[in-house]
Amino acid sequence: MSQACSRKLQTATREKLRKLNSLRGREVLPGEFWDVVAVTAVDGSQREAYELQIREKVERKELPVGVQYKVFSDPPGCKIGNGGSTLYALQQLNDIYGKALSNMRVILIHAGGFSQRMPSASALGKIFMPLPLGNPIYQMLELKLAMYVDFPSQMKPGFLVTCADDIELYSIPEEERVSFDKPGFTALAHPSPLSVGTTHGVFVLEPRERFLYPEMENASCLCFLHKPSIDKMRDSGAVCANQNGLFSMSDSELVYTDSTYYMDFKTAKSLLNLLNELGPLNCEIDAYGDFLQALGPKATMEYTKNTANVTKEESGLVEIRQKIFHLLKGTPLNVILLNNSKFYHIGTTSEYLFHLTEDEAFRSELDLLSSAFSVNANENFSGCCIMYSVLDPSCSVEAGSVVEYSRLETGVSVGGGSIISSCWVSPGLSVPAGAFMHTLCVTHQKQIRFVTVFFGIEDNLKQSVASPTYLEELKFFGLDLAKCLSHWGMESERLRFSGDASSCSLWNACLFPVCSEQQSSFSASLRMLQAVLSGSTSPPPRGAALMSMQDCLQRKNLEEMLKLKRRLHHDINVQLSM
């Protein structure tokens, strides 16, 4: 990316952050901001967690005031995907606002799910992941609102649909605006290498001669491809030649990939009528693949039978896709090409570490700090990120690590490439490199207790086997889980898995001791981790119950977790003001 384009991106991003900062804690004027900020949650427990945190943010003047903040949970039962969440959110918004909804501008942020690839966000939600910028410190919610702060004033009544774990940065000419004023759908599109297109949605645009690439241009879309192969992109005419070297691209070829889209009220009303016709959903619907693939003059029903990208194929999926296709066929798909833009995904531990500690472009574009709202995060901590934490001056944190919502006492050291989240680390302890450690507050036998889960940064918590017989297939810090159990004095056949007995994974393996204090919980788990890495033996504390990550979420004590965070907030404020 040229320096001039990078500077434009940085300047545009700073201006968006400045605008949101001017609205935080202030009563917004009509038309100045969203009428409704709606967030989706996977279930009632997650909805409650989100509502409590949003309420606290409003009270602390971290969000604009006078806005309706709503959280909608998916109905109980099977997973319905972000498409199903969209339909149910529309239904609940319609129930609340009735006819008034036809004049409202709504941003709908999909934040449901258990964040298995980013477990530090599992309990309180990925939409509340901290970021090292802003005063008060930003979380993903504020950043999403900042990046779209210009949209409400340029938008006809309708809905902007986006996800909680991605960030789009873009610049446009000073005299132009990103406008959502056309009927049907209007999607943002970003120039990307063909390899990126295979994991995203790709727009097939009307062919035309291109000699210049303005920062922003409007285009019509012939059809939309969902996670296509490179051959499919070529055959469909999605591949564009990058003859003059696009702003952010050095590749000779590119495709335009998706991120966020708008639908007008009339289109949303049609989808709402479809939900009433379908009744309770029994399968996962994708808000991108299943909605957008029905759009454009070249859309065909072929995709409705393609279940290659579906995690679990349900019997009714093809029929529902076909109904969506017939409902939306002929609906326009307008595309806004943001030629000087970048799309960042922050949904895994590796991505979180990379973007916050190593990615110089991302850090400079957002003016990210190495230390934000923290005490004693001194200048010796280069190449790492400390947020919302209290550290003793004698601590050391190596490059590539993130410490958030934590207390580190005298002489604590943290190895490189680790995440320490919501932990209280006792004096002298040493956390190894590449470790993920996160303390949760749970209710166990009607008492407040603490569990510190620990994994390797690269561990796959989603991978499952059919029974404990195949434990060697599950890798924990690169080692067979069965081998790890021997270091903890545990027998494979006696290891308990929570939830579905036919699925055994790191996510539902009951490995982590339940302790009475936050500090002792961390120390006990760290001893177990060190035993695995050193080849020694360190069983869990005698008599301690063992929980899985899944257990912890089901038994999380939300009030106590937020109380601990409030106490940390108070202590940091006191020490920073001294």
Side-chain angles (χ1 to χ4, degrees):
M1 192 177 208
S2 75
Q3 284 192 337
C5 296
S6 187
R7 278 196 300 272
K8 282 184 178 179
L9 208 57
Q10 188 177 43
T11 301
T13 303
R14 281 177 179 170
E15 178 58 18
K16 294 180 184 75
L17 293 169
R18 185 199 64 76
K19 280 188 180 177
L20 184 71
N21 284 334
S22 73
L23 297 175
R24 295 175 88 185
R26 173 167 82 70
E27 189 91 23
V28 293
L29 302 170
E32 189 178 23
F33 196 64
W34 303 99
D35 297 305
V36 180
V37 174
V39 180
T40 64
V42 72
D43 56 23
S45 170
Q46 196 172 66
R47 185 194 71 236
E48 182 190 353
Y50 290 5
E51 286 174 338
L52 273 170
Q53 289 174 93
I54 288 173
R55 199 176 308 136
E56 285 197 355
K57 291 174 89 62
V58 172
E59 288 169 0
R60 288 200 303 259
K61 300 188 175 180
E62 296 174 5
L63 292 172
V65 180
V67 179
Q68 296 282 314
Y69 295 97
K70 299 291 181 185
V71 184
F72 301 121
S73 59
D74 294 346
C78 68
K79 291 173 70 173
I80 58 172
N82 54 17
S85 297
T86 300
L87 296 178
Y88 276 104
L90 291 175
Q91 184 182 65
Q92 291 175 84
L93 285 163
N94 190 61
D95 290 346
I96 294 167
Y97 298 108
K99 288 183 179 178
L101 190 60
S102 63
N103 294 311
M104 299 174 90
R105 291 157 184 82
V106 179
I107 181 170
L108 178 59
I109 306 173
H110 287 301
F114 294 119
S115 302
Q116 287 176 279
R117 297 184 300 163
M118 184 72 189
S120 53
S122 295
L124 298 179
K126 53 193 169 187
I127 192 67
F128 300 104
M129 289 191 298
L131 293 158
L133 77 157
N135 183 20
I137 192 171
Y138 270 49
Q139 292 176 320
M140 279 296 287
L141 177 58
E142 287 93 322
L143 188 57
K144 296 296 288 189
L145 296 177
M147 292 305 100
Y148 307 142
V149 72
D150 296 325
F151 291 176
S153 63
Q154 306 298 320
M155 175 175 156
K156 285 189 173 178
F159 304 85
L160 190 80
V161 179
T162 187
C163 293
D165 56 6
D166 58 56
I167 299 166
E168 297 88 47
L169 306 182
Y170 62 93
S171 72
I172 59 173
E174 203 171 307
E175 67 281 1
E176 295 197 41
R177 297 288 178 269
V178 174
S179 297
F180 299 101
D181 53 5
K182 296 183 175 70
F185 286 75
T186 301
L188 302 182
H190 312 272
S192 304
L194 273 58
S195 58
V196 171
T198 61
T199 58
H200 285 72
V202 173
F203 300 100
V204 181
L205 307 175
E206 289 184 352
R208 54 188 165 157
E209 286 290 323
R210 295 175 68 99
F211 301 103
L212 293 172
Y213 286 94
E215 280 179 90
M216 183 192 85
E217 53 186 319
N218 294 292
S220 293
C221 185
L222 297 175
C223 64
F224 176 85
L225 312 174
H226 187 55
K227 299 183 179 180
S229 67
I230 289 177
D231 286 343
K232 177 75 171 175
M233 292 181 227
R234 292 192 188 283
D235 294 344
S236 304
V239 179
C240 306
N242 184 17
Q243 293 168 331
N244 298 301
L246 193 56
F247 293 89
S248 58
M249 294 279 296
S250 56
D251 301 51
S252 60
E253 296 181 310
L254 62 96
V255 289
Y256 282 96
T257 55
D258 64 342
S259 63
T260 290
Y261 66 80
Y262 158 86
M263 57 179 162
D264 69 345
F265 180 77
K266 183 182 175 185
T267 304
K269 193 74 175 170
S270 299
L271 285 171
L272 188 54
N273 293 336
L274 174 70
L275 180 62
N276 293 333
E277 178 193 328
L278 292 173
L281 297 175
N282 61 359
C283 61
E284 287 189 59
I285 301 174
D286 191 284
Y288 294 84
D290 293 334
F291 292 170
L292 300 188
Q293 282 189 106
L295 309 176
K298 285 200 171 181
T300 68
M301 282 182 63
E302 181 188 347
Y303 78 90
T304 61
K305 296 179 181 177
N306 178 9
T307 55
N309 293 313
V310 177
T311 51
K312 184 181 177 184
E313 187 178 341
E314 291 93 349
S315 56
L317 177 61
V318 172
E319 183 186 350
I320 288 176
R321 279 180 171 177
Q322 289 175 348
K323 286 185 176 180
I324 292 170
F325 176 82
H326 289 301
L327 172 82
L328 293 177
K329 184 168 172 53
T331 303
L333 175 54
N334 311 291
V335 182
I336 300 172
L337 309 182
L338 297 172
N339 286 322
N340 190 31
S341 67
K342 286 190 178 179
F343 175 94
Y344 292 100
H345 186 259
I346 306 187
T348 71
T349 51
S350 297
E351 287 171 341
Y352 195 55
L353 286 173
F354 173 68
H355 291 312
L356 266 55
T357 67
E358 292 182 56
D359 188 348
E360 287 307 320
F362 181 73
R363 287 171 55 82
S364 66
E365 287 154 8
L366 277 167
D367 283 333
L368 298 186
L369 304 168
S370 293
S371 169
F373 194 58
S374 293
V375 176
N376 289 331
N378 59 48
E379 61 277 3
N380 298 329
F381 300 161
S382 61
C384 62
C385 180
I386 317 292
M387 299 177 286
Y388 216 123
S389 295
V390 176
L391 286 72
D392 185 271
S394 61
C395 293
S396 66
V397 180
E398 289 186 19
S401 288
V402 171
V403 176
E404 60 184 33
Y405 302 126
S406 294
R407 299 174 189 266
L408 276 58
E409 296 201 357
T410 313
V412 167
S413 65
V414 177
S418 293
I419 293 178
I420 305 298
S421 178
S422 303
C423 298
W424 191 331
V425 188
S426 296
L429 295 183
S430 181
V431 179
F436 171 88
M437 302 196 71
H438 174 54
T439 304
L440 299 103
C441 185
V442 300
T443 300
H444 177 64
Q445 297 178 346
K446 298 183 180 180
Q447 292 182 306
I448 295 169
R449 292 291 182 260
F450 296 90
V451 178
T452 299
V453 298
F454 56 98
F455 302 103
I457 289 294
E458 300 295 336
D459 288 350
N460 183 354
L461 275 59
K462 285 188 169 187
Q463 182 193 356
S464 64
V465 294
S467 76
T469 311
Y470 305 103
L471 279 191
E472 69 276 1
E473 293 179 28
L474 297 179
K475 301 300 178 188
F476 189 93
F477 273 86
L479 302 170
D480 297 352
L481 182 56
K483 201 171 286 184
C484 296
L485 293 176
S486 66
H487 293 294
W488 302 327
M490 298 163 66
E491 298 172 8
S492 300
E493 56 273 16
R494 297 190 66 181
L495 175 63
R496 186 175 69 85
F497 288 87
S498 58
D500 184 358
S502 66
S503 174
C504 302
S505 66
L506 295 184
W507 183 258
N508 69 339
C510 299
L511 302 171
F512 311 110
V514 179
C515 300
S516 58
E517 296 173 336
Q518 195 177 2
Q519 290 160 284
S520 60
S521 165
F522 184 89
S523 300
S525 290
L526 181 61
R527 282 195 297 273
M528 291 174 69
L529 170 56
Q530 288 170 333
V532 167
L533 298 180
S534 66
S536 58
T537 303
S538 180
R542 182 171 295 180
L546 300 176
M547 283 192 186
S548 66
M549 183 69 199
Q550 185 183 60
D551 281 333
C552 291
L553 293 186
Q554 290 171 349
R555 304 180 198 183
K556 68 177 185 244
N557 188 314
L558 190 61
E559 288 285 358
E560 193 63 27
M561 289 173 82
L562 293 178
K563 195 185 293 181
L564 289 170
K565 198 172 282 187
R566 281 194 292 272
R567 201 174 301 153
L568 192 56
H569 187 276
H570 172 267
D571 292 351
I572 293 169
N573 265 334
V574 168
Q575 293 194 55
L576 289 178
S577 62
M578 288 171 65

